[in-house]
Amino acid sequence: MDKFDVIIIGGGHAGVEAAFACARMNKKSCLITNNLDDLGKMSCNPAIGGIGKSHLVKEIDAMGGLMGIAADFGGIHFRVLNSSKGAAVRATRSQSDRILYSNKVKEIINSEHLLTIIDSEVSEVLLSNSKSKGVKLSNGKSIHSKKVILTAGTFLNGKLFTGEEEEEGGRIGDKPSKKLADFLLSLELNSGRLKTGTPPRIKASTVNWSVTKEQPGDSPRPTMSFITTNKIHPQQMSCHITRTNLKTHEIIMEGIEKSPMFTGKIEGLGPRYCPSIEDKIHRFSDKNSHQIFIEPEGLTSKEIYPNGISTSMPKEIQQRMVNSIKGFEHAEITKYGYAVEYDFFDPRGLNHSLETKKIENLYFAGQINGTTGYEEAAAQGLVAGINASLAIDDKAAWIPKREESYIGVLIDDLVTIGTKEPYRMFTSRAEYRLLLREDNADQRLSPIARKLGLLNEERWMSFSKKLEDIEKERTRLQGFKLSLSQINDLNKNANAKRKSSISALEALKRPEITYERLCQKLKIQPERNEIALDVTTNQKYFGYIQRQKKEINKVKKNENALIPEKTDFNQIEGLSNESKQKLSLVKPKTLAHAQRIPGLTPAAISLLLVHIKKKSIQKNNVA
């Protein structure tokens, strides 16, 4: 009889990250997937990262995960988004060669000697006294384990829609997991339906590139992983931009009644922040055009991915719609767009460890919990893998905190608030995003990963060397003194009136003094980019960072403070209307509960705390 520590169901981004974590924590693990070729497959958009999402990738990498490394080995176009804005909202995005990315995932996974990969379908989870003890395969074979992690993606009762055409599937060409879905539904877990979609793929040679706007990648190129360099990147390619127009919108509106989104065939809600093109036209009827990013699918691919026109319209309308777009006048569709509707389970039925509350030893991770995106799925897979492994060793679960990681924000949002639409990460969801930057993800999480047994010696030495270099650079800059005239020369708009000189490190706090200009002025060699960025950011935002840390400590002190049951949030002075609405809807019982409400700012929490204390004083005075 086969026996494992952990069984992972599903070989997508959540599954491979969970399996990799378990193997690194010395657990005999088994990953079961319907198709070995699809391990780490990019089912939809061939890209990793973006606003909010790249923070998750960097955190996964800081914990020793594989997504960032695979993105660097497969990345054919790299950009830093929001580069002109503050460090907290900057985000790295990499366009990937689908084949190279998947191949790197397979290489990493296959190198783990404690991990067994089985090509099969799971029909049910074996249960005994409300505890999972393994799985049963569709061929009738049983495999036993101490823990089971389910990462089924969009395959649970998955249905594909293109116009009036409907077929069963988790994605085009792949069958759904109906037996497993039916089994899970029989457990009477709180379930629902969600929807996602994909655009038509277009034959690259039929695009008129001369009328599109070229978008080259950044130079120098960034990396997604802390331990790689851009020397490992393959050949780079440009993306391009075009737009829909009024003719496109007319074609869509003429056939919108045939879209399953509007006929009622699709019940599940789609991602609000990534709507289908027909939904965009319907909801934003005042817009004359919408941007389309033309993204390469890979170095050897003959297809392009038109990001921005996800659709489930009938095939003939898709063709007319595509041909109405500038540059696509003669474009040939190689694969038509479609919508996918699938089962998910209310994540409020999970503990923060991602173990289900109803069934012991069973963990859920990925789109089964109502999320959308590779990055969100991978982050959950990492957490589930870690906690399943810790539980086997009778150790407490690792519960990432909101103030220490975006992974903590993600898990807490899902488990505490739940979701009615596919959840995706944004920087706006994090209350303390100035502390949770891309560049310091390793400083926040690598020490934790080391204690958990996730980082090998090589990675830990690399991280330790970075910390040493940061401290050396701070010490070096502290040793240089700048005179009044030098400060004014560096900061043309300033009129410094200091009588004494200041250190170069202190000078970096000034908005217009850059690290590069400072090094030029001092005639010193600048440090490598990651060191310079850390030192500069921590100086520029020193005051704000200290303020956020104080806010965290203040909330921690008072997080168990009870909010009076009959509190009228509309009467709290200073709260924004949005905050009042969110508080009135959720009706939090404690300050900690209020803090977990997505989008509620630290300032709002402070006002709420003042209100609670005021009411407590009034009550005591009356007494």
Side-chain angles (χ1 to χ4, degrees):
M1 179 176 68
D2 289 320
K3 178 81 174 178
F4 293 92
D5 289 321
V6 187
I7 289 174
I8 301 97
I9 305 169
H13 301 276
V16 295
E17 212 67 70
F20 190 44
C22 292
R24 282 179 290 144
M25 293 179 75
N26 294 315
K27 298 297 172 282
K28 187 182 177 185
S29 309
C30 175
L31 189 153
I32 304 173
T33 177
N34 286 347
N35 190 338
L36 295 178
D37 291 335
D38 288 344
L39 278 176
K41 184 175 182 178
M42 306 179 103
S43 302
C44 191
N45 190 7
I48 297 292
I51 305 299
K53 290 172 173 283
S54 67
H55 291 70
L56 292 172
V57 180
K58 294 276 188 178
E59 290 177 358
I60 292 165
D61 184 72
M63 298 289 289
L66 59 80
M67 177 169 268
I69 294 171
D72 283 335
F73 272 89
I76 55 176
H77 179 100
F78 289 82
R79 290 185 69 220
V80 176
L81 310 180
N82 287 339
S83 57
S84 62
K85 296 183 179 179
V89 295
R90 289 175 200 155
T92 306
R93 187 176 188 274
S94 65
Q95 199 68 33
S96 298
D97 179 301
R98 291 183 187 276
I99 297 172
L100 292 178
Y101 181 91
S102 180
N103 284 347
K104 189 61 183 178
V105 171
K106 290 171 190 170
E107 178 190 321
I108 294 171
I109 287 295
N110 287 328
S111 69
E112 291 296 330
H113 69 279
L114 285 174
L115 178 62
T116 300
I117 304 173
I118 295 177
D119 187 355
S120 187
E121 180 186 358
V122 174
S123 59
E124 64 181 81
V125 177
L126 299 174
L127 300 178
S128 176
N129 298 321
S130 295
K131 294 181 181 180
S132 75
K133 59 177 186 178
V135 301
K136 184 177 181 181
L137 305 181
S138 57
N139 61 12
K141 182 180 179 181
S142 292
I143 304 177
H144 289 75
S145 66
K146 297 171 184 175
K147 308 288 177 183
V148 174
I149 301 174
L150 180 54
T151 69
T154 60
F155 283 78
L156 294 177
N157 273 328
K159 287 185 179 180
L160 312 180
F161 297 88
T162 304
E164 296 176 353
E165 296 178 22
E166 179 183 330
E167 63 176 296
E168 294 181 341
R171 61 180 166 229
I172 198 73
D174 290 308
K175 295 178 181 179
S177 298
K178 283 190 67 64
K179 290 179 182 178
L180 181 58
D182 291 343
F183 169 77
L184 292 170
L185 290 174
S186 73
L187 299 178
E188 297 183 352
L189 302 170
N190 191 7
S191 66
R193 298 283 280 175
L194 290 177
K195 169 254 174 192
T196 188
T198 188
R201 305 303 199 274
I202 293 171
K203 190 174 181 180
S205 61
T206 62
V207 175
N208 181 2
W209 299 101
S210 65
V211 297
T212 64
K213 181 182 176 183
E214 185 177 8
Q215 187 184 52
D218 285 354
S219 181
R221 293 189 304 276
T223 58
M224 297 300 293
S225 172
F226 288 104
I227 62 167
T228 59
T229 69
N230 58 23
K231 291 179 181 178
I232 68 166
H233 294 165
Q235 176 190 332
Q236 298 296 290
M237 298 180 73
S238 287
C239 292
H240 290 75
I241 298 172
T242 186
R243 301 188 71 91
T244 63
N245 52 58
L246 288 175
K247 180 64 177 174
T248 312
H249 299 188
E250 286 173 12
I251 292 168
I252 292 168
M253 289 307 295
E254 284 172 14
I256 204 163
E257 292 181 358
K258 295 180 181 178
S259 168
M261 287 279 297
F262 293 88
T263 60
K265 274 193 170 185
I266 295 178
E267 300 172 9
L269 285 174
R272 189 185 353 158
Y273 302 103
C274 188
S276 65
I277 188 62
E278 54 264 41
D279 199 20
K280 281 186 198 174
I281 303 306
H282 180 71
R283 284 165 52 188
F284 307 108
S285 56
D286 57 319
K287 300 284 185 184
N288 292 331
S289 70
H290 294 279
Q291 192 164 248
I292 302 168
F293 291 97
I294 308 173
E295 300 170 344
E297 296 248 337
L299 296 173
T300 58
S301 175
K302 296 179 180 179
E303 296 177 328
I304 58 97
Y305 184 98
N307 190 349
I309 54 170
S310 171
T311 185
S312 56
M313 298 286 277
K315 292 176 181 177
E316 66 275 11
I317 295 175
Q318 288 192 40
Q319 187 68 66
R320 288 174 57 211
M321 172 187 79
V322 165
N323 292 148
S324 71
I325 296 167
K326 190 175 182 180
F328 292 170
E329 291 86 353
H330 303 290
E332 294 177 19
I333 293 177
T334 55
K335 296 187 188 82
Y336 289 96
Y338 59 90
V340 188
E341 189 182 40
Y342 56 93
D343 288 347
F344 85 105
F345 292 88
D346 188 343
R348 290 174 297 182
L350 302 173
N351 296 310
H352 276 76
S353 64
L354 296 185
E355 183 181 29
T356 60
K357 292 176 180 176
K358 194 169 184 179
I359 300 168
E360 196 176 331
N361 302 329
L362 177 63
Y363 298 73
F364 285 177
Q367 286 179 284
I368 191 173
N369 291 336
T371 60
T372 182
Y374 308 143
E375 302 83 358
E376 291 86 347
Q380 292 171 74
L382 173 74
V383 172
I386 290 171
N387 286 325
S389 299
L390 288 172
I392 289 170
D393 294 336
D394 292 322
K395 292 180 180 179
W398 175 59
I399 311 298
K401 300 180 182 69
R402 294 184 74 92
E403 67 268 21
E404 75 181 4
S405 67
Y406 272 83
I407 297 176
V409 173
L410 168 69
I411 302 299
D412 195 49
D413 279 356
L414 291 173
V415 173
T416 306
I417 308 298
T419 187
K420 292 181 180 178
E421 62 183 69
Y423 176 105
R424 71 155 289 178
M425 182 51 71
F426 289 104
T427 50
S428 60
R429 294 190 188 273
E431 302 93 322
Y432 304 109
R433 52 186 172 273
L434 194 51
L435 300 177
L436 309 182
R437 306 186 308 273
E438 265 195 352
D439 63 279
N440 69 0
D442 55 346
Q443 295 179 57
R444 291 183 279 113
L445 295 177
S446 287
I448 294 171
R450 176 69 168 177
K451 288 179 182 177
L452 292 171
L454 290 161
L455 294 189
N456 60 28
E457 195 63 28
E458 183 183 355
R459 280 207 68 143
W460 181 247
M461 292 301 291
S462 174
F463 169 68
S464 299
K465 176 68 165 58
K466 177 183 172 180
L467 291 187
E468 287 175 15
D469 290 345
I470 289 171
E471 193 51 43
K472 280 181 183 176
E473 183 62 359
R474 289 180 61 83
T475 302
R476 179 173 75 144
L477 294 178
Q478 185 67 38
F480 287 100
K481 299 298 179 183
L482 294 172
S483 66
L484 180 67
S485 60
Q486 286 176 312
I487 295 168
N488 284 334
D489 188 44
L490 280 166
N491 192 353
K492 298 294 184 184
N493 295 330
N495 185 18
K497 296 179 180 178
R498 284 177 172 268
K499 291 182 180 179
S500 60
S501 61
I502 62 172
S503 72
L505 186 65
E506 182 73 15
L508 264 183
K509 289 181 180 178
R510 300 177 176 235
E512 291 190 12
I513 296 181
T514 66
Y515 177 82
E516 291 76 16
R517 287 184 64 207
L518 193 60
C519 288
Q520 287 173 4
K521 189 71 178 175
L522 298 172
K523 296 180 180 179
I524 59 174
Q525 187 68 27
E527 257 289 2
R528 65 184 187 275
N529 184 59
E530 63 176 319
I531 305 303
L533 178 62
D534 184 277
V535 172
T536 302
T537 302
N538 279 299
Q539 287 300 106
K540 297 286 186 202
Y541 297 98
F542 180 80
Y544 298 102
I545 290 171
Q546 294 304 110
R547 189 186 303 169
Q548 284 206 345
K549 286 179 178 178
K550 284 180 182 177
E551 286 172 353
I552 290 170
N553 290 332
K554 186 167 74 173
V555 171
K556 276 186 175 179
K557 267 192 212 175
N558 299 280
E559 61 185 1
N560 293 322
L562 293 173
I563 300 173
E565 195 174 331
K566 295 181 180 179
T567 297
D568 184 352
F569 299 105
N570 291 311
Q571 299 303 312
I572 300 178
E573 291 183 16
L575 277 182
S576 68
N577 288 332
E578 184 183 3
S579 295
K580 289 174 181 177
Q581 288 171 5
K582 287 180 175 180
L583 287 164
S584 299
L585 181 67
V586 177
K587 293 183 175 60
K589 294 179 180 179
T590 65
L591 197 70
H593 187 187
Q595 191 189 9
R596 295 187 186 109
I597 299 173
L600 208 63
T601 64
I605 295 295
S606 294
L607 287 168
L608 183 57
L609 178 58
V610 169
H611 179 79
I612 293 170
K613 287 184 174 180
K614 203 181 283 184
K615 287 295 179 184
S616 177
I617 291 169
Q618 289 173 358
K619 186 178 178 181
N620 290 334
N621 287 339
V622 171

